[in-house]
């Protein structure tokens, strides 16, 4: 094998839809999150913590933790209709996120201002992807891990959308980025039923970020935990680095 792989892997998920024709007034943002794990941390901490959690609550590890299902108490989460049980369940999940070492990069597209700014706006997913990949490269450069191939894992969404995403991904990695240079990333599509720890953690993280942007004054314990995970520059600044809002 002629490729060498970096010590990092990135899992990607989203919150909200990327459509601009009809915008949900209660959630008018599109959020894309990139969870960067050092592979040793992923193997030794992230996976065991989530596996133990699943065995404790379900008796097996096949349940896929999906934020929407948990929030709406549906599917395998109907037992969360009890507020006390749900609070304890969410507190434990929040603790797992807090204990798991990873670096977070997120792009939030404010859809109404974005739509108004451009006569023919680009797909918000593509914009968010480009910003995210650029910042992942900055982080890996700081870690001296920007030469080897780093895999970016995303969930399949549909043949047409996946093809569009792969085309945009290749375009960004071929040099259509702020640095105007090739990026050493490789895209991996995971099935929606994939029981991936990294994708599940990314899924749980995305919505609290969106809610924080929409209502920054509102109490948001999940975001308070997430806030400590964001990629920061040398001066500790998150805005524009770990958290990019556009426009």
């Amino acid at each position: 094998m002629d490729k060498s792989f970096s010590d990092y892997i990135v899992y990607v998920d989203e919150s909200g839809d990327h459509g601009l024709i009809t915008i949900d007034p209660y959630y008018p943002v599109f959020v894309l999150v990139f969870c960067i794990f050092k592979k040793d941390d992923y193997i030794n901490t992230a996976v065991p913590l989530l596996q133990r959690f699943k065995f404790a609550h379900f008796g097996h590890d096949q349940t896929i933790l999906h934020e929407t299902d948990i929030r709406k108490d549906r599917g395998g989460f109907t037992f969360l209709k009890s507020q006390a049980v749900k609070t304890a369940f969410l507190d434990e999940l929040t603790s797992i996120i807090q204990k798991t070492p990873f670096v977070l990069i997120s792009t939030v597209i404010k859809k109404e201002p974005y739509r108004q700014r451009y006569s023919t706006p680009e797909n918000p997913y593509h914009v968010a992807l480009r910003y995210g990949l650029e910042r992942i490269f900055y982080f890996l450069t700081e870690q001296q891990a920007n030469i080897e191939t780093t895999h970016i894992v995303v969930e399949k969404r549909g043949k047409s959308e996946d093809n569009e995403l792969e085309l945009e991904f290749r375009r960004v990695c071929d040099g259509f980025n702020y640095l105007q240079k090739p990026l050493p990333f490789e895209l991996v599509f995971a099935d929606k039923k994939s029981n991936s720890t990294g994708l599940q953690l990314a899924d749980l993280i995305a919505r609290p970020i969106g809610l924080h942007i929409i209502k920054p004054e509102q109490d948001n314990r999940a975001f308070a935990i997430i806030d400590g995970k964001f990629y920061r520059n040398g001066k500790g600044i998150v805005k524009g680095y770990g958290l990019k809002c556009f426009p």
Side-chain angles (χ1 to χ4, degrees):
M1 193 173 279
D2 59 354
K3 280 187 179 178
S4 58
F5 304 123
S6 83
D7 292 333
Y8 294 86
I9 187 161
V10 183
Y11 293 91
V12 184
D13 210 339
E14 65 203 73
S15 177
D17 66 85
H18 60 266
L20 294 172
I21 296 173
T22 303
I23 297 175
D24 181 355
Y26 299 104
Y27 199 79
V29 295
F30 174 74
V31 182
L32 198 62
V33 298
F34 305 81
C35 294
I36 309 171
F37 293 88
K38 199 162 190 179
K39 289 174 181 174
D40 283 345
D41 291 333
Y42 185 79
I43 294 165
N44 297 322
T45 305
V47 172
L49 279 175
L50 210 63
Q51 292 293 88
R52 289 191 190 100
F53 175 83
K54 288 185 178 183
F55 282 123
H57 287 278
F58 305 102
H60 60 82
D61 63 350
Q62 294 307 297
T63 298
I64 296 174
L65 300 175
H66 192 263
E67 186 275 336
T68 305
D69 293 337
I70 294 170
R71 177 162 42 90
K72 296 185 176 181
D73 310 326
R74 69 189 184 192
F77 304 96
T78 53
F79 69 96
L80 297 178
K81 291 185 185 296
S82 160
Q83 190 56 51
V85 172
K86 188 168 190 172
T87 298
F89 183 90
L90 292 175
D91 284 349
E92 196 172 340
L93 266 182
T94 301
S95 176
I96 287 172
I97 291 169
Q98 186 174 28
K99 292 175 183 174
T100 302
F102 64 91
V103 173
L104 177 61
I105 289 172
S106 180
T107 310
V108 180
I109 306 294
K110 298 177 180 179
K111 295 205 286 186
E112 189 58 52
Y114 177 66
R115 181 171 68 175
Q116 291 178 8
R117 176 176 285 199
Y118 302 100
S119 56
T120 54
E122 189 181 352
N123 184 328
Y125 194 114
H126 296 173
V127 176
L129 177 72
R130 186 163 64 248
Y131 284 141
L133 293 178
E134 289 167 357
R135 282 151 183 78
I136 292 167
F137 184 77
Y138 298 154
F139 169 77
L140 293 176
T141 299
E142 291 175 5
Q143 306 304 312
Q144 298 182 332
N146 62 344
I147 304 300
E148 301 87 359
T149 301
T150 298
H151 291 92
I152 313 291
V153 184
V154 301
E155 192 176 77
K156 289 181 180 177
R157 296 178 297 153
K159 187 175 181 180
S160 176
E161 288 179 313
D162 292 348
N163 287 341
E164 283 184 21
L165 171 58
E166 185 165 18
L167 187 64
E168 182 62 21
F169 181 90
R170 292 183 184 280
R171 192 165 74 118
V172 174
C173 291
D174 285 345
F176 181 68
N177 55 66
Y178 184 77
L179 296 168
Q180 297 184 332
K181 64 188 294 183
L183 305 180
F185 301 145
E186 194 168 298
L187 189 63
V188 178
F189 284 102
D191 190 274
K192 279 186 173 292
K193 295 180 180 178
S194 167
N195 202 344
S196 162
T197 293
L199 286 177
Q200 288 170 84
L201 289 173
D203 174 84
L204 294 170
I205 285 165
R207 186 174 174 84
I209 295 172
L211 292 174
H212 172 75
I213 297 302
I214 296 165
K215 295 182 178 179
E217 73 288 344
Q218 185 172 292
D219 184 48
N220 187 335
R221 181 167 175 258
F223 182 81
I225 297 299
I226 293 165
D227 190 34
K229 305 288 186 181
F230 281 114
Y231 170 51
R232 288 164 162 78
N233 72 355
K235 297 179 179 179
I237 296 172
V238 170
K239 187 177 180 181
Y241 293 85
L243 181 56
K244 168 72 175 178
C245 290
F246 187 77

